[in-house]
Structures are given as structure tokens and as C-alpha cells.
């Protein structure tokens, strides 16, 4: 018989195209039924290609057709949809709970308004900038007795350039992070 010649191996496992001819459907339909878990496949000895055992495959297909005729397949789809809906509702409730917690934390003062934070940072950095820019002049007054006046002015100018460069780099980096 032609079906026996197309068996995958001696364990009487058959290829999808043989099962498709037997059921008078396409090979693709057999693959879909397999992916949907309707038709079981067997992998001989854990190695090699998968195949279909004839009797269990026929029984599974007949059961599938019977369930489909009785509407059980639709019930399985409905059950799956209900399960997915329930999971979505759980996720929604969890996110609503997290939002409620966040609102409570804000109301209880655990978070600060963004405008207040920005204002505080601007004040801090303005003060810091003035402090940093004043450092070279303060340093030069302390070392004035140890260096010549021309050398002190050159040193102060060099330090001012370095501080200004560092402050510009700092401001550019902060603006890059803010967006």
C-alpha cells in the first residue's frame, strides 16, 4: 500500500501529507491542527523527525470533529477568551491600585511638584556658579604674597577660563539629560 511506503520509520509514523490524504484535507490543515493541539505527533526515540501514529491521530481527529459538531470547540474558544478577559481585568485593577497609591503618596507629600524642584535646583546652581566663579579671585588673594603680581593675574585668568569651561560643560550635560 502507498501509505505504508511513506512511513517515516519502522514504528509506523506517518508524514503530514499522508494524514492529509487520509482525512481529505490539505497538509497545511494538518499542520494547523497539530499546532492547535488537536493532532498529536510523536518523535521516535527522542530523535529524528516527528510523525503521526495512525490510530491515535484518527481518534483525535474524530474527537475534534465530534466536539466541533457539538459546539465544544466554540466553548473552548469562549473559555480562552474569558480567561484572557479576566487576566486583562486583573492587570487593569493592579494598575488602578498603583495609580491610587501614587495619588495618595503625592497627597501625603512623598513627592514634590516639579516646578518647586526646578526652582530649587535653579537657585542652587546659581549660587554654586557664583561660588565657583569667585574661587580664582579668593585663591589669588591667598597666594599673592608668594607670586609676582603679573604671574598672579595670569594664574587668575587661567583659573577663570577653566572654571567657566567646566561650568559650560556641566550646563550642557544637564540640558542633554533634561531633553
Amino acid at each position: 500500500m502507498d501509505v505504508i511506503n511513506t512511513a517515516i520509520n519502522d514504528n509506523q509514523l506517518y508524514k503530514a501529507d499522508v494524514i492529509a490524504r487520509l482525512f481529505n484535507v490539505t497538509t497545511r490543515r494538518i499542520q494547523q491542527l497539530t499546532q492547535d493541539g488537536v493532532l498529536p505527533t510523536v518523535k521516535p526515540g527522542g530523535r529524528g523527525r516527528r510523525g503521526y501514529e495512525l490510530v491515535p491521530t484518527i481518534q483525535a481527529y474524530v474527537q475534534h470533529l465530534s466536539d466541533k459538531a457539538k459546539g465544544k470547540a466554540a466553548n473552548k474558544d469562549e473559555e480562552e477568551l474569558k480567561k484572557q478577559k479576566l487576566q486583562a481585568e486583573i492587570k487593569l485593577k493592579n494598575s488602578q491600585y498603583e495609580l491610587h497609591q501614587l495619588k495618595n503618596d503625592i497627597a501625603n507629600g512623598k513627592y514634590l511638584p516639579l516646578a518647586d524642584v526646578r526652582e530649587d535646583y535653579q537657585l542652587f546652581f546659581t549660587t554654586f556658579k557664583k561660588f565657583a566663579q569667585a574661587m580664582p579671585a579668593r585663591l589669588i588673594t591667598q597666594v599673592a604674597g608668594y607670586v609676582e603680581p603679573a604671574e598672579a593675574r595670569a594664574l587668575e585668568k587661567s583659573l577663570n577660563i577653566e572654571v567657566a569651561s567646566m561650568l559650560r560643560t556641566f550646563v550642557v550635560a544637564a540640558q542633554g539629560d533634561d531633553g
Side-chain angles (χ1 to χ4, degrees):
M1 190 176 195
D2 187 29
V3 170
I4 294 175
N5 292 334
T6 56
I8 293 176
N9 58 28
D10 294 337
N11 292 338
Q12 297 299 310
L13 296 180
Y14 298 92
K15 294 181 181 179
D17 61 330
V18 174
I19 301 299
R21 283 188 286 152
L22 184 65
F23 294 157
N24 197 28
V25 296
T26 65
T27 302
R28 180 65 191 130
R29 180 65 184 142
I30 295 300
Q31 293 168 345
Q32 288 172 336
L33 290 168
T34 302
Q35 288 174 346
D36 292 344
V38 174
L39 299 180
T41 59
V42 176
K43 196 170 192 178
R47 299 176 3 182
R49 293 181 55 193
R50 291 189 170 277
Y52 298 89
E53 290 180 319
L54 197 56
V55 173
T57 302
I58 292 171
Q59 289 173 339
Y61 188 62
V62 168
Q63 183 65 47
H64 169 70
L65 292 176
S66 176
D67 289 348
K68 192 173 180 180
K70 293 177 185 174
K72 288 185 180 178
N75 287 344
K76 287 182 183 177
D77 290 341
E78 279 183 36
E79 287 176 24
E80 182 62 30
L81 288 174
K82 286 180 182 178
K83 183 178 176 183
Q84 289 174 358
K85 180 183 175 188
L86 184 60
Q87 289 172 342
E89 287 175 352
I90 290 170
K91 286 181 182 179
L92 176 64
K93 294 291 183 187
N94 284 338
S95 65
Q96 287 174 339
Y97 172 76
E98 289 172 8
L99 179 61
H100 179 71
Q101 286 296 110
L102 185 58
K103 286 180 179 179
N104 280 343
D105 289 348
I106 290 169
N108 292 329
K110 288 187 178 180
Y111 295 96
L112 300 173
L114 184 59
D116 291 351
V117 172
R118 282 192 176 157
E119 185 180 329
D120 286 348
Y121 273 122
Q122 285 174 344
L123 178 62
F124 169 77
F125 287 117
T126 301
T127 304
F128 177 75
K129 182 179 178 182
K130 288 178 183 177
F131 169 78
Q133 288 174 331
M135 284 178 59
R138 286 199 314 260
L139 179 65
I140 294 306
T141 59
Q142 291 182 3
V143 296
Y146 302 102
V147 294
E148 293 294 322
E151 191 178 345
R153 283 191 298 277
L155 184 58
E156 183 178 5
K157 184 177 179 182
S158 175
L159 286 172
N160 278 327
I161 291 171
E162 184 69 25
V163 167
S165 173
M166 294 293 246
L167 288 172
R168 272 194 308 278
T169 303
F170 183 72
V171 168
V172 169
Q175 288 174 348
D177 289 343
D178 189 32

